[in-house]
Amino acid sequence: MPSPLNRTFSVAPMLDWTDRHYRYFARLMSKEALLYTEMVTTGAILHGKGDYLAYNQEEHPLALQLGGSDPKDLATCAKLAEARGYDEVNINVGCPSDRVQNGRFGACLMAEPKLVAECVDAMRQQVSVPVTVKTRIGIDEQDSYGFLTDFVETVSAAGCDTFIIHARKAWLQGLSPKENREIPPLDYERVYQLKRDYPQLSISINGGVTSIEQAKTHLAQLDGVMVGREAYQNPYILASVDTELCGKPAVVSSREEVIGKLLPYIGKHLADGGRLNHISRHIIGLYQGLPGSRAWRRHLSENAHKPGAGIEVIENAIKAMELTTN
């Protein structure tokens, strides 16, 4: 049976965006959303100088997304992740960038389902937390429904019962990663069909979701919805997840309450030698669509990166916003 983690709503792994500061901020607005790290390569974890598995305990439930294709290395990293307390380990079979392809992982692995199955099997032998796969509906000219089901059948036979499907195919040549998130057309019906044909699997959908109402439409057919850019650029959407999608009490009642809860975290980060813009860059979209949001964004963008910038920059950004709306 699929794992007991609540997959109703998750925030997609996004390189340079879903770092531990963003995830702490996101958790202030939703207890129920499943959060994902940025993709971390096995090479970085095994041979890098930094601690690529660091996170705040408040971020749970939290999944680590790994990039790699060597079963032994992935198994080792999965074991390290479980020891550090991650709730899930996910394999990236969806990223189309040249750098990722050169490392033989990401979306190009869709063409090697047996290798992905070997990776899943090796990881599952080492950990008890869920091992999941995030993938596309196809790559290049290999975009038939049969290609997708062959991949899912092969990988699920190795014990993977949870798939997150970005409902676009990826062009491995000719399109940038950004273009691959926008140009190939979305095909939600194909993901719905996958769930109908494999009801025993947990199937979540990713791609193009920009509202709670859209999420509800998908959840009528699927087990979960993963949201990327909207959850970053308009993060207060997370404040509706627990009540609207999960039937749980709201965590916060206002954006101001979110800021109030975030300030002590910012203060500690600054006291530890961190810079304000490590965190402030993630909150620029908090007032998205509201009067004064431009003044908020401008003040943060112009001042948070300056040496010695402190909490007063956040407070003054709020004042600047209020001045434009009064």
Side-chain angles (χ1 to χ4, degrees):
M1 288 296 292
S3 65
L5 275 177
N6 183 356
R7 301 183 179 281
T8 302
F9 186 99
S10 56
V11 178
M14 292 176 283
L15 202 58
D16 297 327
W17 286 7
T18 52
D19 65 12
R20 62 191 178 91
H21 301 310
Y22 169 79
R23 298 190 308 260
Y24 184 92
F25 168 56
R27 188 57 74 208
L28 295 177
M29 294 173 279
S30 171
K31 286 184 179 178
E32 299 298 321
L34 176 56
L35 303 179
Y36 282 74
T37 68
E38 305 167 89
M39 182 188 68
V40 186
T41 65
T42 54
I45 293 171
L46 298 175
H47 309 297
K49 293 181 179 178
D51 181 1
Y52 290 91
L53 296 178
Y55 66 93
N56 307 287
Q57 288 299 321
E58 293 87 351
E59 294 170 38
H60 290 292
L62 178 64
L64 171 70
Q65 188 184 64
L66 289 173
S69 59
D70 181 280
K72 182 172 177 289
D73 288 351
L74 283 163
T76 300
C77 290
K79 190 172 183 178
L80 291 171
E82 182 176 53
R84 293 290 288 272
Y86 280 89
D87 301 296
E88 171 192 323
V89 183
N90 177 267
I91 307 175
N92 183 316
V93 190
C95 181
S97 78
D98 291 340
R99 184 175 67 84
V100 164
Q101 289 180 60
N102 292 337
R104 199 187 175 201
F105 56 93
C108 64
L109 284 177
M110 278 202 85
E112 300 187 72
K114 290 182 180 177
L115 176 58
V116 178
E118 289 174 23
C119 293
V120 166
D121 181 57
M123 295 166 75
R124 291 186 71 247
Q125 288 185 36
Q126 294 295 322
V127 299
S128 58
V129 295
V131 175
T132 68
V133 169
K134 185 174 189 290
T135 189
R136 297 271 185 147
I137 57 173
I139 50 174
D140 297 336
E141 302 301 339
Q142 297 172 290
D143 63 352
S144 69
Y145 183 63
F147 176 75
L148 177 60
T149 57
D150 285 348
F151 176 85
V152 168
E153 285 182 11
T154 302
V155 176
S156 62
C160 178
D161 60 20
T162 302
F163 293 83
I164 302 122
I165 311 289
H166 187 159
R168 288 183 173 94
K169 75 172 181 180
W171 286 102
L172 299 182
Q173 302 295 330
L175 292 184
S176 70
K178 180 178 186 295
E179 290 169 331
N180 260 305
R181 291 191 295 270
E182 298 169 352
I183 292 176
L186 288 158
D187 189 348
Y188 294 143
E189 181 54 40
R190 185 168 296 191
V191 185
Y192 297 165
Q193 186 64 48
L194 193 68
K195 178 61 184 179
R196 289 194 291 267
D197 290 343
Y198 301 90
Q200 76 279 16
L201 299 177
S202 171
I203 305 289
S204 294
I205 199 166
N206 171 229
V209 181
T210 59
S211 72
I212 294 294
E213 291 309 310
Q214 289 175 9
K216 288 178 179 178
T217 299
H218 292 309
L219 289 169
Q221 310 252 5
L222 300 165
D223 300 288
V225 174
M226 176 179 274
V227 176
R229 284 168 287 172
E230 189 69 15
Y232 189 87
Q233 295 167 347
N234 182 23
Y236 200 67
I237 189 176
L238 294 168
S240 300
V241 166
D242 294 16
T243 52
E244 293 286 317
L245 301 181
C246 303
K248 299 290 180 68
V251 177
V252 288
S253 58
S254 69
R255 292 165 173 83
E256 290 69 34
E257 188 180 350
V258 176
I259 293 295
K261 290 183 174 183
L262 186 62
L263 288 179
Y265 178 82
I266 295 174
K268 183 178 185 307
H269 178 67
L270 296 174
D272 290 341
R275 295 175 64 96
L276 178 64
N277 63 335
H278 294 162
I279 301 171
S280 64
R281 69 190 186 94
H282 299 305
I283 67 174
I284 280 180
L286 182 61
Y287 290 90
Q288 180 83 7
L290 294 185
S293 61
R294 185 177 296 178
W296 161 265
R297 289 196 305 271
R298 183 189 303 124
H299 192 85
L300 289 182
S301 299
E302 292 176 354
N303 296 285
H305 67 280
K306 294 177 180 177
I311 283 172
E312 74 283 348
V313 172
I314 308 287
E315 294 168 340
N316 289 335
I318 293 172
K319 291 176 184 174
M321 184 170 53
E322 290 171 345
L323 282 174
T324 65
T325 56
N326 290 339

